[in-house]
Amino acid sequence: MNIKATIKRNQSVVFCYVIAIALFVGFSIYMPGFASLSHIRTVFLESALIGIVAVGQTLVIITGGIDLSVAWMMTIGAYMVSNLVGSSNANLVWGIPLMLVVTFGLGAINGFCISYLRVPAIVMTLGMNIILQGALVAITQGSPGQSAPEFLLKLGQDNLFGIPYLVIIWIILTVVIMLMLFKMKYGRKLFAIGNNATVAKYSGIKVNNTVILSYAISGVTAGIAGALLAGKVGSCYLAMGDTYQFQSIAAVAIGGTSMLGGKGNYLGTVAGSLTITILLGILVALNLPYGVQKMAYGLIVLVSVIISVTRSEKV
């Protein structure tokens, strides 16, 4: 394999990793404690959660859509494996599959309304997010959730040979999604739909079914991330997934996936997740006022999306 050709073909992904490394190394020189092992571990833990949510977000955006329901899909997943299961590991045998089925179904509803009823993706998924928020607040009466089961606490907080279980799960999902994108027909269908859904339809691709599956997978990965977040923090609470809504989108955009669809690589999303986490860490380390941090973060998201769209239009 020609290494130069491979790098050129994936230059946006390589560039994103270079940016992430440069940010980390540069700020570590300015603030040496930034490069401590404990902080590096924190960076990968936070990046893993963003990256897991962004698995489904990447698939959806490649089709030319977007999923704004991941925030409360995460919260639903967290509450289902905490409140329904309680502290019993034994109940996870049915609790986790039930959560996966529910989040898959909710994601599929998004996909069905977008593909068959032609509801704009941004409207449908934002509406679903609000519906899930209202439903969960009504069911819980606004009360915080129970403690996460011991098994989830282990996955969210413990290590295997020094590597956090969260990061291991992220690595496994990365391998799976890369195989799906570049070694399976499903991946080729996604890119075809993102480039031109009409042409894809006349090429024999079942566009609607593929779109539905993509949103269903997005629901599942958000639910998984929510369950793991509950394990990481020890319990669940309302709106716990809110920060991950735009972080997942920003990670995808920064990673080089076209916000217009038809082009993308999850390895870029991995780099985008790391970049977002490092940038947020820098903002906190600079001890900037909270409002300034939010403004800077919003500006980063906006600029990354603009760059993604501009780059796509030039291709």
Side-chain angles (χ1 to χ4, degrees), residues 79-144:
Y79 268 78
M80 289 192 69
V81 295
S82 296
N83 279 28
L84 289 182
V85 169
S87 58
S88 173
N89 281 338
N91 290 338
L92 287 174
V93 173
W94 59 265
I96 290 179
L98 178 61
M99 180 273 289
L100 295 177
V101 169
V102 169
T103 52
F104 183 94
L106 292 171
I109 291 172
N110 277 337
F112 177 83
C113 293
I114 290 166
S115 58
Y116 281 99
L117 303 184
R118 299 294 185 264
V119 180
I122 193 170
V123 175
M124 181 62 216
T125 56
L126 183 59
M128 175 63 78
N129 197 57
I130 296 171
I131 291 170
L132 295 180
Q133 177 182 0
L136 194 56
V137 170
I139 292 170
T140 63
Q141 296 298 306
S143 61

Side-chain angles (χ1 to χ4, degrees), residues 26-301:
F27 199 77
S28 296
I29 295 172
Y30 173 77
M31 185 176 287
F34 197 76
S36 65
L37 288 177
S38 62
H39 185 254
I40 292 173
R41 181 179 184 275
T42 300
V43 167
F44 276 98
L45 281 173
E46 292 300 324
S47 298
L49 286 170
I50 297 172
I52 292 171
V53 181
V55 167
Q57 193 74 263
T58 301
L59 300 181
V60 166
I61 289 176
I62 287 175
T63 67
I66 197 168
D67 191 351
L68 297 180
S69 68
V70 295
W72 280 82
M73 202 77 76
M74 285 182 69
T75 309
I76 288 287
Y79 268 78
M80 289 192 69
V81 295
S82 296
N83 279 28
L84 289 182
V85 169
S87 58
S88 173
N89 281 338
N91 290 338
L92 287 174
V93 173
W94 59 265
I96 290 179
L98 178 61
M99 180 273 289
L100 295 177
V101 169
V102 169
T103 52
F104 183 94
L106 292 171
I109 291 172
N110 277 337
F112 177 83
C113 293
I114 290 166
S115 58
Y116 281 99
L117 303 184
R118 299 294 185 264
V119 180
I122 193 170
V123 175
M124 181 62 216
T125 56
L126 183 59
M128 175 63 78
N129 197 57
I130 296 171
I131 291 170
L132 295 180
Q133 177 182 0
L136 194 56
V137 170
I139 292 170
T140 63
Q141 296 298 306
S143 61
Q146 300 179 17
S147 298
E150 185 179 343
F151 178 70
L152 289 182
L153 293 176
K154 184 176 182 66
L155 290 181
Q157 301 174 8
D158 287 353
N159 308 311
L160 179 64
F161 304 119
I163 304 175
Y165 282 108
L166 259 176
V167 176
I168 293 173
I169 293 171
W170 187 25
I171 292 171
I172 293 172
L173 287 174
T174 298
V175 172
V176 171
I177 200 66
M178 288 299 291
L179 290 174
M180 289 175 65
L181 283 176
F182 298 106
K183 297 296 182 181
M184 296 175 62
K185 290 182 179 180
Y186 171 71
R188 292 193 290 273
K189 292 177 181 178
L190 286 183
F191 289 112
I193 292 170
N195 279 307
N196 193 314
T198 302
V199 173
K201 181 178 180 180
Y202 286 112
S203 299
I205 295 174
K206 296 181 179 179
V207 173
N208 291 343
N209 292 346
T210 305
V211 170
I212 290 172
L213 179 58
S214 301
Y215 280 92
I217 293 173
S218 184
V220 168
T221 55
I224 292 172
L228 292 172
L229 178 58
K232 179 176 178 291
V233 302
S235 61
C236 53
Y237 52 91
L238 294 174
M240 63 190 297
D242 280 3
T243 59
Y244 294 91
Q245 183 184 61
F246 284 104
Q247 284 179 358
S248 64
I249 296 170
V252 175
I254 291 173
T257 295
S258 170
M259 297 301 294
L260 301 178
K263 178 185 176 184
N265 188 326
Y266 183 71
L267 287 181
T269 301
V270 171
S273 301
L274 291 167
T275 303
I276 284 290
T277 306
I278 293 169
L279 284 170
L280 291 175
I282 290 173
L283 293 175
V284 173
L286 289 173
N287 201 27
L288 297 172
Y290 181 72
V292 176
Q293 291 182 34
K294 296 292 287 184
M295 288 174 61
Y297 170 64
L299 183 62
I300 290 167
V301 174

